[in-house]
Amino acid sequence: MVSTEAYGTWPSPIDAELTASHDGRPEFVGTVGDEVWWTEPRPAEGGRRALVRRTVDGGTRSVLPEPWNPRSRVIEYGGTPWAGAPRAEGGPLVVFVHFPDQRLYAYAPDGPAEPWPLTPVSDVGGGLRWVEPQLHLERDEVWCVLEEFTGEGPTDVRRVIAAVPLDGSAAEDRTGVRELTDDRNRFVTGPRLSHDGRRAAWITWDHPQMPWDGTVVKMADVTAEGEFTAVRPLVGDTDESVVQVEWDRDGSLLFVSDVGGWWELQRIRPDAVAGAVVPTSRLCAVRNEEFGGPLWKIGLRWFQLLDNGLIAVVHGRGTTALGVLDPETGELVDAVGPWTAWAETLAVQDTRVVGVAASPHTSYEVVELDTATGHTRTIGAPHRDAVDPAYHPEPQIRTFTGPAGREIHAHVYPPRHPDRTGPEGELPPYVIWAHGGPTGRSPVVLDLEIAYFTSRGIGIAEVDYGGSTGYGRAYRERLRGQWGVVDVEDCAAVALGLAEEGAADRDRLAIRGGSAGGWTAAASLTQTDVYACGAISYPILDLEGWATGETHDFESQYLESLVGPYADVPERYRERSPVNHTDGLTTPFVLLQGLDDPICPPVQCERFLAAIEGRGIPHAYLAFEGEAHGFRRADTVRRALEAELSLYVQTFGIDRPDVPRLGLAK
């Protein structure tokens, strides 16, 4: 029997505690001998990451006991934090970055010893940090990206590729670390060593470019002593984004570049004469799809080469699939299975490809494809229904029309409940979700945070506003100089479009977002009258502050492309900042902030709250000790969700006594 109850009042088995316990996803898959390893979240253990191994007998267990936490802080967003390799004796060896002190450690999980440090601690600024380790047991070294602070400021930093001895001799001696590159480039990725060991290639970029704007691939000859010589640029430019490079066995270099308007897989054959190259060649026919994505973390992988010459690729438009590409014929065959979104991490072993994938009805899990048989199976972090799938939200892939007729991509999740429906004539409230980045996108996957609201009768619409990835470079560049304009307009167009078509209640629209999405949410509340309330998490609120030292180095000049050069258009920074438009704010909001956030620091929230003081605007500010950029602790996620729901209940006039009441100050 289906009962009729007002939208927002429906009972749901998906509470905030359950949702928080399923927060996060597996990342950074790799192979160690015949085993598959990856990291996965532990929200109940203070938000740490665990390193997990799947042994040849199919069993799964943690490699590192609590409290070891393999997670890097290089460029604050981190990247691949571990590497492992089998040894002739003593079982495998793993090196990893421990989050609390950012030191590099080594560990023999099958031996009796505890992890031992390989690198020292520096008391200068943010210290020494490491990412994307690559083991070279024959040299008794691990090669990494080193991020070294040279002063107390967030931009007092240098980055190089470095070699760290595995014997621990550099654990207390910085001079024991061997630098392989100089620091002429502000940003570097880990090097890829050719199969004959004679060449290395890596990606670089410099301010004010972001890696999705322009990068350059560098190549060096590698001496018998492991020194890099004859360093020269190979491909890429300030207006071409190369996001991954890998060597083929024939000495050619495969790379993903967006020079043609989409991130596509290409090949280049470095000539024997230093500095001379032959033209590049595309490995697949033009498909108007992405075979890469934004390099927010160091070490992301959208393709991997198999021993039989085939190439595993993550590709798609708006969403992603796992395919196997034959570079000789250009034929691309996708893996069979229910998964509709593949993350930017791949590993290969013989004929097998391992990745992380999800679907609208399954959470992210570790999946294996055997290219010899075409068979796919889940081998790690398997999805288990936390509730009856009848409560899972059903996505609608939509394209809306925005200003000047531009297309806006969105995923709409109407309210869904197995035995509740809304009263005839009543329209449901809707919340517009603005993703972070803003150079990012919203994957179409099962998300219990969405289900938390839709199962109660509140609709969700995720907007891939102009500037989002997954739709080609031209769509991505709609936001150049237009941040705070295009994103705000696109979100509003989706919200009003839903209301105009009779899917959403025009008077009960809300907006929520975190990080750059928090900016869009705040800008929308202060500059439009579309929304009745909003939830703003760890946001950017003051562009001038963010451009003049209130964020980390990686994004410290991001606004040069998003807004414009600060020296040239300072007034634009003031005009667009929500902190300077609080006179236009009349709606309730909740502000959620981690007190240890180095990317969007609490001072931005404090400045915004001071600007609305005495204005009589109902609001709440929840600040969380021990949380940084993005919430990872189960209790934090629970409290944030309950606060957000309470805001909607109070603002929309929903009768829901089971929701812990959020105190709204004025």
Side-chain angles (χ1 to χ4, degrees):
M1 296 291 293
V2 176
S3 302
T4 298
E5 289 188 21
Y7 289 109
T9 66
W10 301 347
S12 173
I14 306 172
D15 60 21
E17 185 174 353
L18 176 68
T19 303
S21 69
H22 287 74
D23 191 52
R25 71 184 192 188
E27 286 186 298
F28 305 118
V29 296
T31 56
V32 181
D34 293 328
E35 300 182 352
V36 178
W37 295 23
W38 63 89
T39 67
E40 62 183 42
R42 295 286 188 267
E45 298 176 10
R48 84 175 182 105
R49 305 289 299 186
L51 182 59
V52 177
R53 64 193 288 191
R54 185 181 191 274
T55 54
V56 291
D57 61 4
T60 301
R61 65 178 186 268
S62 291
V63 176
L64 299 163
E66 195 176 0
W68 295 103
N69 186 356
R71 181 175 151 217
S72 171
R73 284 189 61 186
V74 169
I75 67 168
E76 293 301 346
Y77 293 106
T80 306
W82 73 274
R87 297 180 298 174
E89 297 179 359
L93 179 73
V94 61
V95 295
F96 66 95
V97 181
H98 184 42
F99 181 71
D101 61 12
Q102 288 298 289
R103 296 176 86 178
L104 197 64
Y105 288 80
Y107 181 51
D110 296 341
E114 291 290 310
W116 63 91
L118 300 179
T119 58
V121 174
S122 171
D123 58 3
V124 178
L128 300 177
R129 300 174 178 179
W130 311 85
V131 74
E132 203 177 1
Q134 297 166 48
L135 277 167
H136 295 281
L137 296 181
E138 73 285 357
R139 297 183 184 275
D140 200 32
E141 289 181 330
V142 54
W143 292 4
C144 309
V145 173
L146 162 61
E147 181 178 81
E148 180 174 24
F149 281 78
T150 58
E152 296 301 321
T155 60
D156 296 332
V157 63
R158 62 191 294 269
R159 298 177 187 88
V160 297
I161 297 171
V164 177
L166 288 172
D167 61 7
S169 58
E172 304 296 336
D173 181 10
R174 170 65 180 82
T175 63
V177 174
R178 189 167 62 89
E179 296 190 8
L180 302 177
T181 63
D182 58 35
D183 57 4
R184 295 178 190 176
N185 293 114
R186 191 73 171 187
F187 302 96
V188 296
T189 66
R192 296 289 184 265
L193 190 63
S194 61
H195 289 270
D196 61 10
R198 297 172 55 191
R199 286 175 170 171
W202 63 98
I203 298 170
T204 70
W205 69 96
D206 293 287
H207 286 317
Q209 275 75 41
M210 299 299 287
W212 41 87
D213 296 326
T215 60
V216 174
V217 176
K218 295 288 183 70
M219 185 177 71
D221 297 332
V222 181
T223 68
E225 294 74 28
E227 303 290 341
F228 286 12
T229 64
V231 177
R232 63 267 194 195
L234 193 59
V235 294
D237 208 334
T238 56
D239 58 356
E240 176 187 355
S241 171
V242 179
V243 294
Q244 185 186 347
V245 296
E246 304 288 344
W247 292 97
D248 205 344
R249 293 186 180 277
D250 64 359
S252 64
L253 189 71
L254 274 61
F255 63 99
V256 172
S257 164
D258 72 347
V259 69
W262 297 81
W263 274 305
E264 296 173 306
L265 191 58
Q266 302 188 47
R267 185 191 302 273
I268 190 169
R269 300 181 184 277
D271 193 86
V273 179
V277 296
V278 297
T280 62
S281 58
R282 184 184 286 114
L283 296 187
C284 187
V286 175
R287 298 170 60 100
N288 289 344
E289 291 184 0
E290 305 282 33
F291 285 74
L295 199 62
W296 278 104
K297 298 180 179 182
I298 306 297
L300 300 181
R301 292 188 173 182
W302 291 268
F303 74 92
Q304 285 279 53
L305 288 81
L306 290 106
D307 291 343
N308 58 12
L310 300 177
I311 306 171
V313 295
V314 172
H315 70 101
R317 179 186 175 97
T319 186
T320 49
L322 173 65
V324 178
L325 173 66
D326 184 336
E328 298 299 322
T329 66
E331 182 182 10
L332 178 61
V333 179
D334 286 342
V336 176
W339 307 281
T340 56
W342 290 77
E344 53 282 278
T345 180
L346 289 176
V348 295
Q349 186 180 69
D350 298 326
T351 62
R352 297 182 298 153
V353 182
V354 181
V356 174
S359 78
H361 293 287
T362 56
S363 55
Y364 282 99
E365 47 192 4
V366 182
V367 179
E368 177 191 86
L369 163 67
D370 189 334
T371 61
T373 64
H375 178 67
T376 53
R377 61 173 180 159
T378 299
I379 63 169
H383 169 80
R384 294 184 176 87
D385 289 327
V387 296
D388 185 335
Y391 291 93
H392 291 174
E394 286 284 357
Q396 300 174 356
I397 311 303
R398 298 285 306 275
T399 301
F400 291 82
T401 301
R406 66 176 180 254
E407 290 186 343
I408 306 166
H409 301 288
H411 315 137
V412 178
Y413 297 87
R416 185 170 189 253
H417 196 287
D419 53 25
R420 294 295 190 278
T421 188
E424 185 176 352
E426 180 184 340
L427 296 176
Y430 258 83
V431 185
I432 302 298
W433 282 23
H435 63 68
T439 309
R441 65 179 178 85
S442 301
V444 186
V445 299
L446 176 61
D447 184 342
L448 286 187
E449 280 202 23
I450 294 176
Y452 178 75
F453 295 103
T454 57
S455 64
R456 286 169 168 76
I458 298 173
I460 300 294
E462 295 182 306
V463 181
D464 279 351
Y465 48 81
S468 300
T469 52
Y471 307 96
R473 182 158 185 142
Y475 194 88
R476 195 165 78 240
E477 291 192 337
R478 286 184 186 178
L479 212 56
R480 290 190 71 86
Q482 295 297 309
W483 196 36
V485 179
V486 166
D487 51 324
V488 171
E489 290 176 347
D490 286 2
C491 286
V494 172
L496 295 175
L498 288 169
E500 289 167 3
E501 67 187 34
D505 186 339
R506 172 65 183 87
D507 296 325
R508 294 194 294 174
L509 298 173
I511 188 167
R512 74 107 84 154
S515 189
W519 153 271
T520 300
S524 298
L525 293 180
T526 56
Q527 299 177 32
T528 77
D529 61 357
V530 173
Y531 309 99
C533 61
I536 306 167
S537 299
Y538 36 92
I540 301 158
L541 298 167
D542 179 3
L543 293 179
E544 284 191 290
W546 216 65
T548 55
E550 287 183 0
T551 191
H552 62 140
D553 183 62
F554 176 56
E555 294 179 277
S556 61
Q557 296 186 33
Y558 194 5
L559 300 183
E560 296 281 302
S561 60
L562 290 175
V563 182
Y566 179 62
D568 297 340
V569 290
E571 70 285 350
R572 190 182 297 171
Y573 283 63
R574 291 187 288 272
E575 289 168 359
R576 294 194 190 164
S577 294
V579 72
N580 296 326
H581 287 281
T582 56
D583 56 342
L585 180 62
T586 60
T587 56
F589 68 91
V590 60
L591 191 55
L592 307 164
Q593 177 67 44
L595 291 177
D596 297 337
D597 191 341
I599 297 170
C600 297
V603 66
Q604 295 249 325
C605 291
E606 294 162 4
R607 197 174 295 140
F608 187 78
L609 294 170
I612 67 161
E613 188 173 0
R615 294 271 322 285
I617 301 168
H619 69 279
Y621 178 47
L622 277 65
F624 299 101
E625 295 275 1
E627 291 284 11
H629 198 66
F631 303 145
R632 289 176 171 82
R633 298 181 177 183
D635 186 59
T636 302
V637 176
R638 176 188 61 79
R639 290 177 59 199
L641 275 174
E642 290 177 343
E644 184 179 350
L645 179 58
S646 181
L647 173 72
Y648 302 150
V649 165
Q650 295 181 57
T651 305
F652 297 153
I654 297 171
D655 183 14
R656 184 128 216 162
D658 62 327
V659 178
R661 187 173 180 82
L662 175 69
L664 297 175
K666 292 186 178 180

